[in-house]
Amino acid sequence: MTIETKAIRTREEGGVMVATLASSPLNLMGPEIIRDLVTLIPYLREKANDIRVVVFDSAAPDFFSAHVDMAQLAATRDELDKHGPGTRFTDLYHDISTLPQVTIATIAGRVGGAGSEFALSCDMRFASRERATFLQMEVGVGLIPGAGGIQHLPRLMGRGRALEVMLSADDYDADLAERYGWINRALPDAELQPFVDRLARRIATFPPAAITTVKRRVDAYMLPDRDEMGEDIRLFRNLASQPVTQARLAELFAKGMQTDGPLERSIPAAVLELAEHAQ
Amino acid sequence: MTIETKAIRTREEGGVMVATLASSPLNLMGPEIIRDLVTLIPYLREKANDIRVVVFDSAAPDFFSAHVDMAQLAATRDELDKHGPGTRFTDLYHDISTLPQVTIATIAGRVGGAGSEFALSCDMRFASRERATFLQMEVGVGLIPGAGGIQHLPRLMGRGRALEVMLSADDYDADLAERYGWINRALPDAELQPFVDRLARRIATFPPAAITTVKRRVDAYMLPDRDEMGEDIRLFRNLASQPVTQARLAELFAKGMQTDGPLERSIPAAVLELAEHAQ
Amino acid sequence: MTIETKAIRTREEGGVMVATLASSPLNLMGPEIIRDLVTLIPYLREKANDIRVVVFDSAAPDFFSAHVDMAQLAATRDELDKHGPGTRFTDLYHDISTLPQVTIATIAGRVGGAGSEFALSCDMRFASRERATFLQMEVGVGLIPGAGGIQHLPRLMGRGRALEVMLSADDYDADLAERYGWINRALPDAELQPFVDRLARRIATFPPAAITTVKRRVDAYMLPDRDEMGEDIRLFRNLASQPVTQARLAELFAKGMQTDGPLERSIPAAVLELAEHAQ
C-alpha cells in the first residue's frame, strides 16, 4: 500500500511518519489538506503495525495552519464525503484522535481556528516558545469553534480559561498556552524539533498493543463525544449563514484574509476594528 | 427598564456593565448583596442585547468579598425567596453562570468562602498579584464550601489541589491561585484594571449569538449541575447546626469576625487557634 | 485496637499518622507492603475519630516506591485476598482514596508505576524539587498503568499531557510534575517535611464531619470508578502474559531490575535499549 498526497508531504522512518502540512502559505483547512487527510487516515489504519507515531508539522514558515478555508466550504464538504457519505468535519478530526498511532503536533508558527482544532485532535502538542501563536478567532466574526475546540479546550484548561480563550478571540503565545494547558509544553525553538524527534522515535519502539490500550482506555472517558462535536459543527454552519457573520467575513476578505499578508498575522486587531453590523 | 441597587453599584458603557460590590468593608454575601443580585439577574436577562459583558469588582480596599454573612442567614433566605420561592443560594449562583452576558470577576483583595464561590460562578477570574488572597475557610469551622466550591474547584484544578484548598482552610496568594487554575491569571496590580477593561470592551463588540452559543455548549457538560450544588448547600446547612460548628463560629464572632479588624485578615491563623470543641 | 505492620512503619501523634514505606531499598508494591496496607485500611476506618490525617513517606533514601513487584504477583494476590476474596489491586487503591482520613503522599525520591499510582490514590501529593522523579514506565515493557494511572492522570492533567506521560515511559522531574498537575506542589527539599507536617497537623484540628463530607462530595464525581479501574488491571494482566512483555521484563530482570543498582535508576534508558522482540 502506498500513499499519494500533495498538500501533506509524508516521509516514514523507523516507525515514525512525519506528515508536513504543505499547503503554503497558510495551510488553510480546505479541500487540499482535507483530501489528503481523507487519504491518510485509512492508510495509517492499514499500516498500524509499521507506523507507530505520526508527527504533524508545517512547511510554511509562519503558519502551522491559519484556519478553515472559508471560501471553499462546499469543496471541502465534497472531499469529506469521500471519507464516507455525510462525513462531518468533526468526524474527520475524531478519526484523527482515534488512530492506532500516537499523533503529535509540532507547532512553530501561527495556529488558529480549525487549524488549532486539528492540533487539539492530536494526542500531544509541542510548540516553539518564540514562534508559535494560538488563536480561536471564531467568536470575533460571529462563529464558534465548531471543529472540536468547544469540546477539547474546557477539558484541557477548565471552564474559565477555555471561555476566555474562545470569547476573547485573541492571540495567546506559547508560554501562556503552556500555562493554560492548551499545549503539553513550550520549548525553545532550537530544541523543539529534536525533542519531538526523540520522543516520537522513543514511542515507536514500544509494543503497540500497550499504546493502543492506553489510548483506548483514556479515550473511553476523556475524548469528546463524536455527536457532541457534530452538534458544534452544525451550530457553526447555522451561524455562518447569519448576516452579521457574512458581513464580518466579507470585510475581512476585503482586507486580505486568506492571503499571505498582514491581515492573517493580526486577526485579533482586525476583528476588533470590524464595524458594528446590524445584529 | 432601570435598575435600582445599593450594595452593588452599576454603571454601563459600550455594552459593558461594571458591577461594583459596595457593601463595605467586607462585602459579605448577605441580604444586601443578595437582594441586589436578585434585582440584577432579571435586569441582565432583559438587557441581553445591550449589555454583553458584566465585570464584578469591589469598592472595598481590602476585600472582594470576605464570605457569607453567617449572622444573617435567615434574612438572606428571605431575599432569595424573592428570586423565586425556595431559591437556594446555589440556584442564584447557578443563574449567574448561565447569564447571557460574559461575566468577569476582577479580584484585588481578599476573597473567601461564598465570596470566592461567587467568583467561581463567573465565567472568568483575574486577580491582582500583590493584593488578592484566596481562601475557602469553611472546613476550619466545621462547614463545607456549599455554594459551588465543591463542584467548581475540582473541575478547575483537579482532585488533589481542590482537596488541598478546601481541607487546608488556608490563604492562597494570586500566583499560587493561578498555578492551581483557581483564576485565569494573576496580573500586576497596576495592569489588572486596564487588562480587564480592554478584554470586556473587546468581547462586547462581538456578535452575541456566537457568545451565548459558546457558553451554552461549554456549560452543557462543564457547568456544575444545579441539583448537585443544591445538595452541597443542604449539607452546609446541616453542618451549620452542629454544636461544634456553632461553637467555633461563636468563638470567631467573639474575636471580631464580620468586623473590619484583624480577625478577617487572618482567618487561617484564627481557625487553627480555635479550642478543640467536643465533636 | 493496635496495629502490627512491618513494611510500613507507623507512628501517631496529634491526630496524624505518619506511615513510612520501609520495604527497602525499592519499596516495591509487593506482598510485604500490600499485606500492611490490608492491615492498615480497616485499622484506619476503625480509628477515624482519632486519626484524621495519614502522611505516607518513605524510609528508602532514593525511592518512594519503584513499582509493583513483578516477581511476586501471585503472592501479592494472596495478600489481596485477605482484604476480601477477589480483591483487585485497584480495589485496594480505591479503598485508600475513600478512607475517612485525609491522605498525603510526601515524595522525596523516585516513584514509578504502581508506586506512582499509590501516590495518585492519595488525596494530595507534595514532592521534593531536588530528589523526586516521576515515571510511568509500563508502556515501555508492553504493559499499561493498570493500578489507576489511566483513570487519575487525565483527570489531573488533561488528555494530552496524560498520554505523553504514559506513552513516553520517561522520567519527569518534580517541577514538570507540578506544571502538569501530577502533584500539588514541588517544594525545596529542606522545606518539604516541615510543610507537610504543618499541613497535616493543621487539618487534624478541623471537625472530621466537614472533612469527610468534602471528600465524599468531591469523590461523588471526581474519583475514578472502581470498576473502570478494575477493567484497567484486567487489561494489565492480559498484557503481562504476552510474549513481548515477558521478553522485555526478562531482559530487564537480567540487567538488574528489582535490585538496588543502576537499572532501577535509569529505567527510561533501559526500556529504550530493549531489543525489538517479535510482536
Side-chain angles (χ1 to χ4, degrees):
Chain A
M1 187 178 191
T2 59
I3 183 169
E4 288 193 35
T5 57
K6 204 169 113 179
I8 301 180
R9 284 187 226 133
T10 67
R11 62 176 199 276
E12 300 171 27
E13 187 186 334
V16 177
M17 170 189 277
V18 177
T20 302
L21 307 185
S23 182
S24 278
L26 299 175
N27 285 328
L28 292 176
M29 286 290 164
E32 292 186 6
I33 286 182
I34 297 302
R35 180 189 309 129
D36 284 358
L37 287 177
V38 167
T39 303
L40 203 55
I41 289 170
Y43 176 79
L44 288 168
R45 284 181 183 149
E46 179 75 24
K47 302 250 289 183
N49 287 329
D50 306 309
I51 304 173
R52 313 278 186 76
V53 180
V54 184
V55 176
F56 289 100
D57 61 15
S58 164
D62 291 354
F63 290 87
F64 180 86
S65 171
H67 49 75
V68 73
D69 188 337
M70 289 300 296
Q72 300 195 71
L73 292 175
T76 298
R77 203 177 298 194
D78 289 344
E79 297 300 331
L80 287 169
D81 278 335
K82 295 175 189 167
H83 192 61
T87 296
R88 299 164 293 191
F89 212 101
T90 47
D91 293 325
L92 198 76
Y93 279 13
H94 199 274
D95 285 347
I96 297 286
S97 298
T98 57
L99 282 171
Q101 285 83 10
V102 177
T103 51
I104 305 176
T106 304
I107 303 165
R110 302 190 67 84
V111 61
S116 163
E117 290 165 306
F118 173 73
L120 287 168
S121 75
C122 293
D123 297 335
M124 309 172 200
R125 288 157 293 288
F126 298 94
S128 162
R129 182 165 291 155
E130 295 91 341
R131 295 170 58 203
T133 304
F134 298 80
L135 172 62
Q136 298 289 160
M137 75 290 274
E138 292 88 343
V139 165
V141 294
L143 294 166
I144 60 169
I150 284 178
Q151 303 300 324
H152 281 289
L153 290 169
R155 286 172 165 90
L156 288 172
M157 58 179 76
R159 180 180 185 266
R161 287 170 171 170
L163 286 177
E164 179 201 335
V165 159
M166 293 191 280
L167 299 178
S168 69
D170 211 346
D171 281 342
Y172 288 74
D173 67 25
D175 277 326
L176 191 52
E178 177 187 301
R179 277 155 60 196
Y180 274 27
W182 199 332
I183 57 175
N184 289 48
R185 287 189 237 179
L187 293 158
D189 193 67
E191 297 174 21
L192 176 62
Q193 179 110 18
F195 174 89
V196 173
D197 282 355
R198 176 191 166 280
L199 176 61
R201 281 185 281 113
R202 177 176 181 80
I203 294 174
T205 71
F206 297 154
I211 292 173
T212 54
T213 304
V214 167
K215 284 192 62 168
R216 182 166 55 80
R217 290 298 294 160
V218 168
D219 288 347
Y221 73 98
M222 284 296 285
L223 190 67
D225 180 76
R226 178 181 288 261
D227 288 334
E228 294 295 327
M229 291 176 69
E231 173 66 6
D232 290 343
I233 198 73
R234 191 185 70 75
L235 292 165
F236 175 95
R237 284 187 205 139
N238 284 357
L239 289 165
S241 67
Q242 297 297 308
V244 61
T245 305
Q246 291 287 327
R248 286 186 169 233
L249 287 170
E251 193 167 332
L252 290 180
F253 269 108
K255 289 180 175 171
M257 192 167 75
Q258 301 204 173
T259 65
D260 189 15
L263 186 283
E264 282 289 352
R265 290 163 174 83
S266 59
I267 287 180
V271 295
L272 192 60
E273 287 162 14
L274 291 173
E276 287 250 351
H277 301 285
Q279 290 155 2
Chain B
M1 187 180 191
T2 59
I3 182 170
E4 288 192 37
T5 57
K6 204 170 113 182
I8 302 180
R9 285 187 226 133
T10 67
R11 62 176 198 275
E12 301 171 27
E13 187 186 335
V16 177
M17 171 189 276
V18 177
T20 301
L21 307 184
S23 182
S24 277
L26 299 175
N27 285 328
L28 292 175
M29 287 289 164
E32 293 186 5
I33 285 182
I34 297 302
R35 180 189 309 130
D36 283 358
L37 288 176
V38 166
T39 303
L40 203 55
I41 289 170
Y43 176 79
L44 289 169
R45 284 181 183 150
E46 179 76 23
K47 302 249 288 182
N49 288 329
D50 306 308
I51 304 173
R52 313 280 185 74
V53 180
V54 184
V55 176
F56 289 101
D57 60 14
S58 164
D62 291 353
F63 290 87
F64 179 85
S65 170
H67 48 76
V68 73
D69 188 339
M70 289 300 297
Q72 300 196 69
L73 292 175
T76 298
R77 202 178 298 192
D78 290 344
E79 298 300 330
L80 287 169
D81 278 335
K82 296 174 189 168
H83 191 60
T87 296
R88 298 164 293 191
F89 212 102
T90 48
D91 293 325
L92 198 77
Y93 279 14
H94 200 274
D95 285 347
I96 297 287
S97 298
T98 57
L99 282 171
Q101 286 83 10
V102 177
T103 51
I104 305 176
T106 304
I107 303 164
R110 302 190 66 85
V111 60
S116 163
E117 291 165 307
F118 173 73
L120 288 167
S121 75
C122 292
D123 297 335
M124 309 173 200
R125 287 157 293 288
F126 298 95
S128 161
R129 183 164 291 155
E130 295 90 340
R131 295 170 58 203
T133 304
F134 298 79
L135 171 63
Q136 298 289 159
M137 76 290 275
E138 291 89 343
V139 166
V141 293
L143 294 166
I144 61 169
I150 283 178
Q151 303 299 324
H152 281 290
L153 290 168
R155 285 173 166 90
L156 288 171
M157 59 178 76
R159 180 181 185 266
R161 287 170 170 169
L163 286 176
E164 178 201 335
V165 159
M166 293 190 280
L167 299 178
S168 69
D170 210 346
D171 281 343
Y172 288 74
D173 67 26
D175 277 326
L176 191 53
E178 176 186 302
R179 277 155 60 197
Y180 274 26
W182 198 331
I183 57 175
N184 289 48
R185 285 188 237 179
L187 293 157
D189 192 66
E191 296 174 22
L192 176 62
Q193 179 111 17
F195 174 89
V196 173
D197 282 355
R198 176 190 167 280
L199 176 61
R201 281 185 282 114
R202 178 177 180 80
I203 294 174
T205 71
F206 298 154
I211 292 173
T212 54
T213 305
V214 167
K215 283 193 61 168
R216 182 166 54 80
R217 291 297 294 159
V218 168
D219 287 347
Y221 73 98
M222 283 296 284
L223 190 67
D225 180 76
R226 179 181 287 263
D227 287 335
E228 293 296 327
M229 290 176 69
E231 173 65 6
D232 291 343
I233 198 75
R234 191 184 70 76
L235 293 166
F236 175 94
R237 284 186 205 140
N238 284 357
L239 289 164
S241 67
Q242 297 297 307
V244 61
T245 304
Q246 292 287 328
R248 286 187 170 233
L249 287 171
E251 193 167 332
L252 290 180
F253 270 108
K255 288 179 176 175
M257 192 167 76
Q258 303 205 172
T259 66
D260 189 14
L263 187 281
E264 281 290 352
R265 290 162 175 84
S266 59
I267 287 181
V271 295
L272 192 60
E273 287 162 13
L274 290 173
E276 287 251 351
H277 300 283
Q279 291 155 4
Chain C
M1 188 179 189
T2 59
I3 183 171
E4 288 192 36
T5 57
K6 203 168 115 180
I8 301 180
R9 284 187 226 134
T10 67
R11 61 175 198 276
E12 301 171 27
E13 188 187 332
V16 177
M17 170 189 278
V18 177
T20 301
L21 307 185
S23 182
S24 277
L26 300 174
N27 284 329
L28 292 175
M29 287 290 164
E32 291 187 7
I33 285 182
I34 297 303
R35 179 189 310 130
D36 283 358
L37 287 176
V38 166
T39 303
L40 203 55
I41 288 170
Y43 176 80
L44 289 168
R45 285 181 182 147
E46 178 76 24
K47 301 249 289 182
N49 288 329
D50 305 309
I51 304 174
R52 313 278 186 76
V53 180
V54 183
V55 176
F56 288 100
D57 61 14
S58 164
D62 291 353
F63 290 87
F64 179 86
S65 170
H67 48 75
V68 72
D69 188 338
M70 289 300 296
Q72 299 196 70
L73 292 175
T76 298
R77 203 177 297 192
D78 289 344
E79 297 300 330
L80 286 169
D81 278 335
K82 295 174 189 168
H83 191 60
T87 296
R88 299 164 293 191
F89 213 100
T90 48
D91 294 325
L92 198 76
Y93 279 14
H94 200 274
D95 286 347
I96 296 288
S97 298
T98 58
L99 282 171
Q101 284 84 9
V102 177
T103 51
I104 306 176
T106 303
I107 303 165
R110 301 190 68 85
V111 60
S116 162
E117 291 165 306
F118 173 74
L120 288 167
S121 76
C122 292
D123 297 334
M124 309 172 199
R125 289 157 292 289
F126 299 94
S128 162
R129 183 164 291 155
E130 295 90 341
R131 295 170 58 204
T133 303
F134 298 79
L135 170 63
Q136 298 288 160
M137 75 290 273
E138 292 89 342
V139 166
V141 293
L143 294 166
I144 61 169
I150 283 178
Q151 304 299 324
H152 281 289
L153 290 169
R155 285 172 165 90
L156 288 172
M157 60 179 75
R159 180 180 185 267
R161 287 170 170 171
L163 286 177
E164 178 202 334
V165 159
M166 293 191 280
L167 299 179
S168 68
D170 210 345
D171 281 342
Y172 288 74
D173 66 27
D175 277 326
L176 191 52
E178 177 187 300
R179 278 155 59 196
Y180 275 26
W182 198 332
I183 57 175
N184 289 48
R185 286 189 238 179
L187 293 158
D189 193 66
E191 296 174 21
L192 176 61
Q193 179 111 18
F195 175 89
V196 173
D197 282 355
R198 177 191 166 281
L199 176 62
R201 281 184 281 114
R202 178 176 179 80
I203 295 174
T205 70
F206 297 155
I211 292 173
T212 54
T213 305
V214 167
K215 284 192 61 168
R216 182 165 55 81
R217 290 298 295 159
V218 168
D219 288 347
Y221 72 98
M222 285 295 284
L223 190 67
D225 180 75
R226 179 180 287 262
D227 287 335
E228 294 296 327
M229 291 176 69
E231 173 64 6
D232 291 343
I233 198 75
R234 191 185 69 76
L235 293 165
F236 175 95
R237 284 187 204 139
N238 283 357
L239 288 164
S241 68
Q242 297 297 307
V244 61
T245 304
Q246 291 287 327
R248 286 187 169 232
L249 287 171
E251 193 166 332
L252 290 180
F253 270 108
K255 288 179 175 173
M257 192 166 76
Q258 303 204 172
T259 65
D260 189 16
L263 187 282
E264 282 289 350
R265 290 162 174 84
S266 59
I267 287 180
V271 294
L272 192 60
E273 287 162 13
L274 290 173
E276 287 252 352
H277 300 284
Q279 292 155 1

